[in-house]
Amino acid sequence: MEWTRRDFGALCAGAVATAALVGRPGFAFAADDNGTQAAIDAFTGGAPVAEGGVDIGAPEIAENGNTVPIEVGAENAAAIMILASGNPNPGVVTFEFTPLSGARSASTRIRLAKTQDVIAVARLEDGSFAMARRPVKVTIGGCGG
Amino acid sequence: MLKKAIVLAGAAALTGLASTAVLAGPDDDELVIDGETFVTELPGFEGSPLDPIYSGWRFRDDATQALEMDDFENPAFVFVEQAAESWETVEGTEGKSCASCHGAVEESMKGVRASMPSYNEAAGELWSLENYVNFCRTERMGADALKWDGDELNAMTALIALQSRGMPMAPVIDGPAAEWFERGKEIYYTRYGQLELSCANCHEDHTGDMIRADHLSQGQINGFPTYRFKNTKLNSAHGRFKGCIRDTRAETFAPGSPEFRALELYVAWRGQGLSIESPSVRN
Amino acid sequence: MSNVKPRVKVPKSAAAGEVITIKTLISHPMESGQRKDSKTGEVIPRKIINTFTATFEGEPVFKAKIEPAVAANPYIEFSMKVPGPGTLRFEWLDDDGTIYDLEKSIAAA
């Protein structure tokens, strides 16, 4: 059998579709991928990631991208990683919880370079992973002063 | 589970629903810090160019407002704490600290910010709070003057201003201060720069409107020094004046200059009666 | 006057089993390594607080691995289930190797 370009393309598409079905979370980063998917893979070791079960609190519109309040939480989380899909680098912060933790939630203030999705990936105590994302609009300043 | 998240999400939803209304003016939120309610809105006084008078806090979104409502979450307080250490620290050739003469800042500096800037008889000119601090440093302590609008001086004026927090702005504009007041008023209404903009063009004529994606306030200074997200540090009123005038594409006056002291007095008068919020939080 | 100063807010006393909120803030510019000096045009080297840890009587409570996308003067809030009276220790690790620390005691309520 001879491989044609079309066959190869179909195979690739199939592989991508399979990957999407099996393990990859259903988020499209292709348009402006800054390494977000790679950061998720590094955190999960390529394990499947469930959607939902992670709460992200953030303003819908941030008045200044320099300081955006954000809170993340997930029941039974051992760790939660926050990623900024539209920043030059995706990494923001990873919170690690312990048996002494109260609620498995934490908050901080982050920098967002532009309007984008903030992503939170939780590693739960049973070793499984869950994630959520939340769009945050970042406004440009006024005259700036 | 996420107490704050719910609050933030709710606030965001409200903002979305009421976005057309929000663009038209300040919001209706109430500023409460440590159980104390602050005056962020009052009717214009006789001769006031503004009616009502609003604190800039009312023009900020809920996430920004929230940071000023908790003294721990307000990042300015880490600098206030640094200044509190400086207050007790001996500096200069005379072996003195601020506390050597003034004792506890909470007692001696109570109410001082409310009437700033004020006419200094001995000096024969109008002084901002910064002038008083630097006079003490150079003349009483034998220490170097601190840089105007620099981090250390802004932290010290924030510490001093905090002792008047919640008190009404009450500048004195008559007597020898009158000519400074008139000079300040003249500057306020003078169009500067290639863009030919006066303070009034934005902060009086277009209060509540959007300038690009920012919400124009009345340009009140009752919250200064203020912690700004823009540069993540304390900013003096003079530093803010400088930024505004620079953005008209003009050569600006310098922080500490007689012109900015005069302008500070005039702008303080425009906001008289507003609660002092220093150190406030703005975008 | 040191430029870097940590602050922590913890209840002075708490009952065993109580969940308390802990608020922390440290004054630090969090230089991202992405900015250029406006005069020289050279990239300003990264210098951030890269790790924050909280321990109670030596036991880990909470940890944050921090990237340059955390805002200047980093603020972190989390919670702890109080096992009993004891001392909380907080450490902030700077890129330059400096460790800033602070301790707070919690009395029995």
Side-chain angles (χ1 to χ4, degrees), chain A residues 144-145, chain B residues 130 148-150 154 224 228 230-231 234-246 252-256 260:
Chain B
E130 287 91 336
W148 262 88
D149 199 35
N154 287 346
F224 282 85
R228 294 189 67 196
K230 174 194 165 76
N231 53 18
L234 284 168
N235 295 261
S236 68
H238 289 210
R240 192 70 185 86
F241 293 159
K242 180 183 166 185
C244 265
I245 295 189
R246 182 199 60 216
T252 87
F253 304 110
F260 274 172

Side-chain angles (χ1 to χ4, degrees), chain B residues 149-207:
Chain B
D149 199 35
D151 295 345
E152 279 189 83
L153 191 51
N154 287 346
M156 184 55 74
T157 55
L159 171 71
I160 293 169
L162 174 64
Q163 314 313 323
S164 306
R165 192 168 68 168
M167 296 180 183
M169 297 276 284
V172 174
I173 61 164
D174 56 7
E179 61 177 304
W180 291 84
F181 176 84
E182 290 303 325
R183 176 74 177 120
K185 182 178 180 181
E186 185 191 331
I187 293 171
Y188 195 90
Y189 287 101
T190 300
R191 290 174 178 266
Y192 289 101
Q194 292 175 321
L195 298 182
E196 294 188 19
L197 288 169
S198 72
C199 307
N201 290 141
C202 289
H203 295 289
E204 190 170 303
D205 303 343
H206 286 283
T207 292

Side-chain angles (χ1 to χ4, degrees), chain A residues 55-64 66-67 69-76 103-107 109 111 134 139-145, chain B residues 1-5 8-9 12-13 16 59-61 63-64 67 73-75 211-214 228-232 239-240 243-244 246-247 283:
Chain A
D55 296 318
I56 305 174
E60 186 183 351
I61 302 170
E63 209 159 27
N64 189 314
N66 228 350
T67 308
I70 186 158
E71 181 176 25
V72 293
E75 280 190 44
N76 302 317
R104 301 303 169 94
S105 65
S107 33
R109 298 165 187 162
R111 292 167 168 157
R134 187 180 168 110
T139 61
I140 48 168
C143 53
Chain B
M1 176 177 187
L2 296 184
K3 177 166 55 81
K4 189 181 295 171
L8 289 176
F59 295 85
R60 303 278 56 92
D61 74 20
T64 307
L67 262 60
E73 295 188 25
N74 180 344
I211 181 163
R212 297 214 298 177
D214 203 357
R228 294 189 67 196
F229 296 159
K230 174 194 165 76
N231 53 18
T232 61
R240 192 70 185 86
C244 265
R246 182 199 60 216
D247 286 346
N283 56 321

